[in-house]
């Protein structure tokens, strides 16, 4: 599979501040690519550069074979963006918003209507077509934002924290729609998110800190490398049970021992099968990866 | 062109769909109208009547009322083109503040199409609103009597609104490019609404001000254009009055009324003729366009 995005030594400086510091990565066509980092890590700056909104200070980037800074119009025609904040007009109806945005790609009102047909039912657009965008709920707005980004049938969809501020139900709904688009259209998705669990299905994850890439890989590989699995052993805290864990670090929370471990734990469970009867194994999370790499809790 | 049309249509929709914004964009005109009903009409009429007293009944009360209505209508048109342009152009500032311009910049639209769409929407809004005011004003005035306007005068009035809207849009666009927030633009609008009425002579004739203030007011194209509205609206009736007077005052009465109510643009203390006023407005327009061409590439998100 060829690369949809190739970035080499990308740098963005604002006077004395280096927002993006010599980063290189690539995204394969059809992949779900996740960009993680705290606020100010450089995620949105990178997206804005790749979307031709901001000018890079140095470095190279190629998007679907078009060079950034040289073939920007070709790039713009092939990308869709869901921004962190809603960027449609509150005073206009959903229909007016979508028709006006479609016109920026040279689409007529009837072409826009034809293109959103597939979304009418699944995104429940027909019910809100004549409603003012500013009066929609957060989840409804996000759905309209996604449809807006899809109007011109882009090959890459940039999602800049698409679910921030949404309730869990709306978040799930938005992700269902994104998954549907990926499955149906094989679209490349470039995601930045604050919610670590949203990177679970990513093909590749890049973690940024202070504008630099500190690691990248598949979620499974990153968890294996940087996160510890945990054995949760449900048993009362007694000296006898403590003795079972001799030589292992552990904590006791409410009703269970929490025992971090790397690799396999089957030998331990086999050795103590009479004592350790009620337990579960929790895989290391992307939160743990982030915490271990940056030494910081992920802040929203 | 589809992109440009789409951008312009969107900017127009944002202005016209916000009823409150439309109402507040006419704030100066509303103030002028309210002041007219409260006391300006009485003042204008008493000034004209006091001058006309010496000629017995030659200058009728209807003439005086029509002249007064002409002064009002010129003030309404002069102020509306200024404030409507400003109000429509604030979309540019709110787009930047809400980062809506990111969304526009990430599409294949050209940079010039984006700025030209703001310009065009402001121009169209001002023309539409000023034409509405002019049309209603002419109908309302006709119901009181005739200003003796010929077809060419009426066409000239509609043409002047086009020039006035172009001029105000070009004047305010560089300013809008420099505002960073809608609250700053809103605060300036408050000052503009209050000051515009004075500067163009809608609240009171500029002849009431000191020469220095008159010179300052004359710098603004809107002042000269409002004077052109007035002369176009009132000249035929004044000429008729002058004819009725038959030269018994050597034309002094009409000349004094013009001096009192017309507020011509002046440069270096010299009053400009109608043609010179139009040339001055066009010169300022060209300067403002040059300023836009200089400023926009520096402040545009898309470099």
């Amino acid at each position: 599979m060829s690369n949809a995005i190739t970035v080499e030594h990308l740098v963005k400086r604002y006077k004395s501040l280096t927002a993006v510091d010599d980063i290189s990565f690539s995204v394969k066509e059809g992949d779900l690519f996740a960009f993680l980092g705290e606020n100010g890590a450089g995620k949105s700056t990178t997206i804005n550069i790749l979307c031709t909104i901001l000018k890079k200070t140095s470095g190279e980037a190629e998007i679907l074979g078009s060079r950034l800074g040289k073939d920007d119009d070709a790039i713009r025609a092939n990308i869709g963006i869901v921004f962190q904040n809603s960027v449609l007009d509150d005073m206009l109806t959903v229909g007016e918003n979508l028709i006006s945005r479609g016109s920026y790609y040279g689409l007529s009102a009837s072409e826009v209507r034809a293109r959103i047909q597939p979304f009418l039912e699944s995104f429940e657009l027909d019910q809100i077509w004549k409603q003012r965008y500013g009066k929609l709920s957060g989840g409804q707005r996000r759905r309209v934002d996604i449809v807006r980004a899809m109007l011109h049938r882009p090959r890459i969809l940039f999602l800049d924290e698409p679910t921030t501020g949404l309730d869990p139900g709306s978040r799930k709904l938005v992700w269902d729609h994104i998954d549907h688009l990926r499955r149906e259209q094989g679209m490349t998705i470039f995601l930045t998110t604050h919610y670590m669990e949203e990177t679970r299905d990513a093909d590749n994850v890049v973690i940024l800190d202070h504008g630099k890439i500190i690691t990248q890989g598949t979620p499974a590989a990153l968890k294996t490398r940087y996160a510890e699995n945990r054995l949760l052993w449900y048993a009362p805290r007694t000296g006898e049970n403590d003795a079972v864990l001799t030589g292992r670090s552990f904590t006791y929370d409410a009703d269970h021992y929490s025992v971090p471990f790397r690799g396999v734990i089957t030998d331990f469970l086999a050795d103590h099968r009479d004592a350790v009867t009620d337990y579960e194994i929790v895989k290391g999370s992307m939160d743990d990866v982030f915490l271990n790499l940056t030494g910081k809790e992920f802040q929203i | 062109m589809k992109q440009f049309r789409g951008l312009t249509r969107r900017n127009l929709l944002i202005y016209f769909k916000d009823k409150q914004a439309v109402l507040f964009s006419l704030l100066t005109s509303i103030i002028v109208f309210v002041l007219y009903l409260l006391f300006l009409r009485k003042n204008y009429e008493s000034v004209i009547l006091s001058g006309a007293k010496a000629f017995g009944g030659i200058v009728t009360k209807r003439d005086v009322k029509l002249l007064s209505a002409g002064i009002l209508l010129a003030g309404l048109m002069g102020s509306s083109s200024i404030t409507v342009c400003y109000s429509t152009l604030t979309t540019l500032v709110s787009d930047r503040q809400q980062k809506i311009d990111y969304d526009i910049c990430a599409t294949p639209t050209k940079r010039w199409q984006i700025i030209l769409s703001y310009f065009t929407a402001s121009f169209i809004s001002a023309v539409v609103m000023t034409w509405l005011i002019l049309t209603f004003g002419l109908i309302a005035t006709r119901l009181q009597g005739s200003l003796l306007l010929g077809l060419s005068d009426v066409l000239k009035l509609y043409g002047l609104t086009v020039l006035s809207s172009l001029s105000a849009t070009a004047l305010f666009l560089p300013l809008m490019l420099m505002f960073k927030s809608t609250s700053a633009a809103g605060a300036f609008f408050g000052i503009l609404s209050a000051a515009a009425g004075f500067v163009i002579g809608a609240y009171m004739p500029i002849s009431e001000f000191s020469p220095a203030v008159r010179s300052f007011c004359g710098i603004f194209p809107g002042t000269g254009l409002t004077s052109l509205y007035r002369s176009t609206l009132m000249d035929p009736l004044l000429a008729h009055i002058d004819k009725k007077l038959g030269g018994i005052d050597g034309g002094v009465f009409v000349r004094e009324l013009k001096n009192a109510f017309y507020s011509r643009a002046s440069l270096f203390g010299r009053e400009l003729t109608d043609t010179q006023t139009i040339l001055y407005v066009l010169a300022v327009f060209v300067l403002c366009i040059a300023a836009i061409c200089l400023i926009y590439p520096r402040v545009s998100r898309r470099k």
Side-chain angles (χ1 to χ4, degrees), chain A residues 8-12 18 20-24 58-59 211-213:
Chain A
E8 285 172 357
H9 305 293
L10 189 69
V11 175
K12 176 67 185 175
T18 304
V20 177
D21 193 358
D22 193 21
I23 64 172
S24 301
S58 63
K212 281 182 179 296
I213 291 178

Side-chain angles (χ1 to χ4, degrees), chain A residues 7-197:
Chain A
V7 172
E8 285 172 357
H9 305 293
L10 189 69
V11 175
K12 176 67 185 175
R13 283 197 196 92
Y14 297 101
K15 293 179 183 163
S16 59
L17 175 78
T18 304
V20 177
D21 193 358
D22 193 21
I23 64 172
S24 301
F25 60 88
S26 60
V27 181
K28 288 198 164 39
E29 274 195 61
D31 270 8
L32 169 58
F33 179 87
F35 223 42
L36 294 182
E38 285 197 313
N39 285 335
K43 307 184 300 286
S44 294
T45 306
T46 307
I47 279 200
N48 288 334
I49 292 170
L50 296 179
C51 295
T52 74
I53 297 166
L54 287 178
K55 204 174 176 185
K56 59 186 166 61
T57 305
S58 63
E60 294 297 331
E62 201 173 271
I63 296 167
L64 298 166
S66 300
R67 288 280 292 279
L68 188 70
K70 291 206 163 57
D71 313 310
D72 285 355
D73 275 348
I75 292 173
R76 289 174 193 133
N78 279 310
I79 60 168
I81 314 159
V82 177
F83 291 92
Q84 257 180 51
N85 305 311
S86 294
V87 288
L88 296 181
D89 298 307
D90 286 349
M91 289 303 295
L92 306 190
T93 65
V94 170
E96 286 165 344
N97 264 303
L98 293 178
I99 288 169
S100 73
R101 269 35 179 200
S103 70
Y104 304 170
Y105 297 92
L107 300 173
S108 66
S110 54
E111 283 170 318
V112 170
R113 283 198 190 91
R115 286 191 178 204
I116 60 158
Q117 277 301 320
F119 303 109
L120 276 180
E121 202 178 320
S122 59
F123 279 64
E124 295 164 11
L125 276 191
D126 41 359
Q127 296 164 25
I128 55 171
W129 183 257
K130 287 186 177 167
Q131 278 186 42
R132 278 196 178 177
Y133 179 76
K135 298 215 164 157
L136 302 179
S137 69
Q140 288 173 319
R141 288 163 79 106
R142 263 310 179 215
R143 270 182 275 155
V144 178
D145 293 343
I146 293 169
V147 174
R148 179 261 168 272
M150 300 291 301
L151 282 176
H152 54 298
R153 295 178 181 149
R155 288 168 62 194
I156 303 175
L157 184 61
F158 288 89
L159 301 167
D160 194 1
E161 298 177 17
T163 55
T164 300
L166 295 185
D167 59 79
S170 300
R171 228 159 65 207
K172 185 182 176 308
L173 204 63
V174 166
W175 269 106
D176 287 346
H177 291 314
I178 294 169
D179 287 340
H180 173 78
L181 291 174
R182 264 191 88 201
R183 274 197 313 275
E184 294 292 310
Q185 306 189 14
M187 187 176 285
T188 307
I189 296 195
F190 189 115
L191 167 77
T192 77
T193 180
H194 272 133
Y195 300 106
M196 292 291 169
E197 70 269 21

Side-chain angles (χ1 to χ4, degrees), chain A residues 60 264 274:
Chain A
E60 294 297 331
V264 291
D274 295 334

Side-chain angles (χ1 to χ4, degrees), chain B residues 176-236:
Chain B
M176 289 298 168
L177 289 172
M178 288 185 279
F179 281 129
K180 290 207 166 29
S181 70
T182 47
S183 51
F188 188 85
F189 184 66
I191 299 166
L192 180 76
S193 299
F198 285 108
V199 170
I200 65 170
Y203 295 155
M204 56 195 289
I206 288 180
S207 57
E208 300 282 319
F209 300 144
S210 69
V213 175
R214 282 207 298 267
S215 295
F216 173 75
C217 293
I219 294 170
F220 299 97
T223 309
L225 285 163
T226 307
S227 172
L228 286 178
Y229 283 135
R230 279 200 185 133
S231 58
T232 311
L233 280 164
M234 294 163 67
D235 272 355

